[in-house]
Amino acid sequence: MVEPVSGFATIDELTHALKGVGYHAPRQLATSVFLAMKLQRPLLLEGEPGVGKTELAKALSKVLARPMLRLQCYDGMEQREALYEWNHTAQLLHMRAAQDTVTADEIEREVYQPRYLIRRPLLQALQAPAPGAVLLIDEVDRADEPFEAFLLEYLGEYQVTIPELGTIKAEAAPITILTSNRTRDLNDAVKRRCLYQWMDYPERERELAIVQSQVPEAGPALTEQITQFVSRLRSMPFANAFQRSPGIAESVEWAKALVALDTLTLDPEVVQDTAGILFKQREDVAALIPLIDELLQPEPA
Amino acid sequence: MKLGDARSGKLRDNITGFGRALRRAGVPVDSSRIAMAIEAIELVGIERKDDLHAALRAVLVSRQQDLEVFDQLFDALFRNPELAQQLLAQMLPKVRQAEAPKRKARVQEALAAARAPKEGPRKESEIQLDAAMTASDQQRLRHADFATLNASEFRLIERLVRDVPLPLPPVRGRRTRAGVRGQRPHWAAAMQQARRFEGELLWLPKRARRPQALPLLVLVDVSGSMERYARLLLAFLHNATQGRPRAAFAFGTDLTDLRPAFRQRDTDHMLDMANAAIADFAGGTRLGASLATLRERHARTLVGRRTVVVLISDGLDTGEPDALNSEVLWLKRHCRQLLWLNPLLRFDGYAPLASGAKVLHEHADGMLAVHNLSRLEDLAQAMARLMQR
């Protein structure tokens, strides 16, 4: 395996570079990412939806100038959707065409050539030329257990085995990010191969910085109000009223919507009109409405 | 604790010690992790405590529920090693007085049967499950030991499980395999065939969807009125659903996770563990609150929308009906089917008058009587029929 995966000598450098592309990583997260790159281990990110798990992979691909490959997991996903598949139609055509001129053995050798291979994200990531790719295995909790078992060889060794071609090992280890929303527990064997990072809702300053950099049009006053409102929503005792608290993604969306509505300050009416952006469930929107006034009050000093 | 120089070996010792401490506190840490932790520390350096903390945490912890333990132990160990010892001592399970292994009820009965019986036959040796509701019986059942089956019950369960399999129908999953009546062509098989017949394709092999077992979630009411039914149904379901994905919870005033118990193979073990786990035996029922806990903490036991939920309760709820309504609706929305097994259905002219029963009656996909456990066959068949829909 060829050396360097990381262009960053220190955690600070990495944090700074991520900030440059609009990703504000807390120190703890940056340390995990730094280690994942140095130790060449996959990094498993768990946390509520909308806290920036997928965004991290995108940001890494930007700062490292590496291609990002994304495998979106779903229930019932099979190896051929994740790794590779033979282009059988092309193979059959080739067979028919070459049938009269060459022997059966030769045909067989010809049709199992890499050029008949349809490469899916995992294989593409392994074969990406140095310095390698950023591979995002998104929502791995949605795939089923057989798929997890299939991932083990890949996550442990950065290699896969294709019966007709042999074992393919990564030339440069891809930086691998797995994300999970914890709709179910992952297998311990998968976890053992990864570094682990739990991602929480952001602290207020961090969220402020994120909204500011993503929606600069909102202006400092409104941004401050938005982040204060959202962080109070997530804190006790309000959070208990909702089935799901809004994530960073929702705050950013909300800021964008408020800008589009030419809002300068939050008031109960505008919050009520745009509540559907913060909450995606009818019950949660209904639960928000009686709380709006209380949430909008200035914080006790 | 002073970390010392990475080269001196002191660091290595300390990290190893820390790893062991974590292990003793119940965090799964193996030696390869500890080796990786040492490597990680060499990479991030030991100048900053927060980096050290983050690095060790990323390497040594892999579950959210362990993070708190890690943080406390880290703080303790890297500030004051003696405090750490105390902390550990607190976290370790209390050393229990070694008890003589208690014999199981069915073993005891088997032994007792060899001797001449002094008294009349025990009341429980007859299967009188149907008579659980008289006042004196209730009194007796309240003190009955939930944990063990007596011999007759065990025989009943054994026979039922052997004779009455619970034929839960599989559904067609998303994964495919070679099959005759599939919808998609099986190109790999087509290739093999073409190779055999000199490039000719005589027929097109198909891929069919692979059958998949439906996951099961059992929610069982352990309030006073339900105790006897709950025990036998748990035993039956535990036996009849071996080998398929399943989860079980008990609820009374609170929700108890029975999944560790259900992982046991032996049904008596399972009941033992369940008994130890359930703190609120024969208390009231707060169905709404229990379902809310299920939603908040264990929503992920509901797999996609495939899970079949079996709710065993008499619906005599002492909680808020409104809360119950929204929780039951949530549950129904997140599962494939919500089956309600109700012992009170045995009474002629039963009507769901209690507020909890009303809600369940309104939303459940199917309602079955479980009053007569000796005829569990009917229940198994009815359950299978309901699920086939």
Side-chain angles (χ1 to χ4, degrees), chain A residues 27 99 183 185 191-192, chain B residues 33 51 62 64 198 300:
Chain A
R27 179 96 185 168
Q99 190 176 22
T183 55
D185 275 329
K191 289 188 151 187
R192 271 197 51 225
Chain B
R33 284 276 135 171
D51 284 356
S62 60
Q64 187 213 358
E198 301 180 334
R300 61 207 148 96

Side-chain angles (χ1 to χ4, degrees), chain B residues 299-327:
Chain B
R300 61 207 148 96
T301 52
L302 294 159
V303 186
R305 285 207 44 191
R306 267 183 277 135
T307 309
V308 171
V309 179
V310 178
L311 181 68
I312 304 167
S313 173
D314 51 13
L316 299 178
D317 185 42
T318 50
E320 291 265 317
D322 280 353
L324 177 62
N325 194 46
S326 70
E327 296 301 337

Side-chain angles (χ1 to χ4, degrees), chain B residues 324-326 328-329 332 338 358-366:
Chain B
L324 177 62
N325 194 46
S326 70
V328 171
L329 268 175
K332 188 180 150 76
L338 176 61
K358 230 181 263 174
V359 172
L360 286 174
H361 185 251
E362 191 180 330
H363 299 305
D365 294 308

Side-chain angles (χ1 to χ4, degrees), chain A:
Chain A
M1 211 178 291
V2 196
E3 212 344 64
V5 266
S6 165
F8 300 105
T10 64
I11 299 167
D12 286 321
E13 249 178 66
L14 173 68
T15 314
H16 188 73
L18 285 171
K19 200 175 275 177
V21 296
Y23 194 92
H24 298 256
R27 179 96 185 168
Q28 204 167 61
L29 177 63
T31 310
S32 305
V33 174
F34 179 78
L35 281 176
M37 293 196 292
K38 288 285 185 195
L39 295 169
Q40 305 203 342
R41 290 276 177 161
L43 176 63
L44 169 63
L45 300 175
E46 278 193 338
E48 298 297 321
V51 291
K53 301 190 290 292
T54 306
E55 291 303 314
L56 176 64
K58 291 185 191 163
L60 276 176
S61 129
K62 272 189 215 155
V63 296
L64 295 166
R66 297 186 188 198
M68 185 173 108
L69 296 161
R70 178 172 181 164
L71 178 67
Q72 178 67 50
C73 298
Y74 57 86
D75 187 15
M77 188 159 68
E78 292 182 69
Q79 166 179 326
R80 62 202 157 85
E81 281 123 334
L83 186 59
Y84 75 95
E85 190 173 8
W86 288 104
N87 187 346
H88 294 297
T89 351
Q91 283 177 321
L92 281 170
L93 280 172
H94 178 95
M95 246 180 187
R96 290 302 295 265
Q99 190 176 22
D100 299 329
T101 53
V102 283
T103 66
D105 277 355
E106 277 170 327
I107 293 188
E108 210 171 309
R109 226 171 300 129
E110 274 169 24
V111 294
Y112 287 113
Q113 292 297 318
R115 70 183 172 114
Y116 289 112
L117 206 58
I118 301 173
R119 292 172 173 78
R120 305 287 192 213
L122 290 186
L123 188 57
Q124 285 175 19
L126 287 189
Q127 296 190 322
V134 173
L135 174 67
L136 170 66
I137 303 180
D138 213 5
E139 307 197 10
V140 66
D141 51 327
R142 291 195 185 273
D144 48 20
E145 276 163 32
F147 183 77
E148 266 178 48
F150 151 73
L151 273 182
L152 294 181
E153 183 188 5
Y154 177 86
L155 293 177
E157 318 285 334
Y158 290 117
Q159 67 175 38
V160 293
T161 309
I162 298 178
E164 296 89 350
L165 295 180
T167 301
I168 296 178
K169 203 167 169 62
E171 290 158 29
I175 294 172
T176 309
I177 307 277
L178 292 90
T179 75
S180 160
N181 290 335
R182 295 217 309 162
T183 55
R184 66 180 179 82
D185 275 329
L186 297 179
N187 195 323
D188 280 344
V190 168
K191 289 188 151 187
R192 271 197 51 225
R193 284 162 173 79
C194 303
L195 297 185
Y196 177 81
Q197 176 71 42
W198 172 258
M199 286 177 73
D200 241 324
Y201 292 118
E203 279 156 27
R204 193 136 131 227
E205 292 75 45
R206 204 178 130 232
E207 186 159 34
L208 191 71
I210 295 169
V211 177
Q212 241 158 23
S213 66
Q214 305 262 327
V215 198
E217 317 82 270
L222 181 62
T223 310
E224 174 76 46
Q225 265 196 313
I226 290 171
T227 46
Q228 182 186 330
F229 188 87
V230 176
S231 79
R232 282 180 89 181
L233 259 188
R234 292 191 199 118
S235 66
M236 295 298 179
F238 299 107
N240 287 344
F242 307 110
Q243 298 191 6
R244 170 154 290 155
S245 298
I248 307 178
E250 275 77 27
S251 316
V252 170
E253 282 303 305
W254 197 34
K256 283 183 186 160
L258 292 173
V259 168
L261 293 171
D262 291 326
T263 312
L264 295 176
T265 54
L266 290 179
D267 58 57
E269 200 180 333
V270 79
V271 173
Q272 192 164 345
D273 290 346
T274 51
I277 297 169
L278 288 174
F279 293 108
K280 308 297 159 71
Q281 294 207 18
R282 198 168 58 94
E283 290 86 350
D284 283 350
V285 173
L288 173 67
I289 287 168
L291 296 177
I292 292 176
D293 284 330
E294 206 181 331
L295 279 161
L296 279 176
Q297 295 214 341
E299 257 177 24

Side-chain angles (χ1 to χ4, degrees), chain B residues 36-152:
Chain B
M36 196 153 85
I38 293 166
E39 212 180 322
I41 297 304
E42 281 163 5
L43 280 168
V44 299
I46 52 173
E47 288 81 33
R48 287 184 56 164
K49 193 178 161 194
D50 55 344
D51 284 356
L52 187 69
H53 176 248
L56 287 176
R57 192 160 122 144
V59 174
L60 294 175
V61 182
S62 60
R63 299 187 304 194
Q64 187 213 358
Q65 60 263 43
D66 292 336
L67 291 177
E68 187 59 26
V69 174
F70 174 89
D71 288 350
Q72 287 182 12
L73 204 55
F74 180 88
D75 272 356
L77 270 177
F78 289 91
R79 194 181 301 136
N80 179 358
E82 260 166 50
L83 189 74
Q85 286 303 327
Q86 289 169 14
L87 195 72
L88 252 177
Q90 278 174 11
M91 272 190 289
L92 286 170
K94 298 251 169 2
V95 181
R96 279 205 215 120
Q97 208 63 39
E99 293 168 10
K102 263 201 296 187
R103 285 185 186 131
K104 299 206 169 298
R106 55 194 219 235
V107 177
Q108 267 166 349
E109 276 189 42
L111 291 176
R115 297 176 209 128
K118 282 173 196 158
E119 316 148 35
R122 281 178 57 182
K123 200 178 176 188
E124 276 193 359
S125 63
E126 285 166 37
I127 307 165
Q128 291 218 334
L129 303 164
D130 208 349
M133 290 306 146
T134 63
S136 65
D137 275 349
Q138 264 189 22
Q139 198 55 38
R140 179 176 59 81
L141 284 175
R142 199 166 295 255
H143 301 289
D145 189 359
F146 179 82
T148 47
L149 296 170
N150 66 38
S152 55

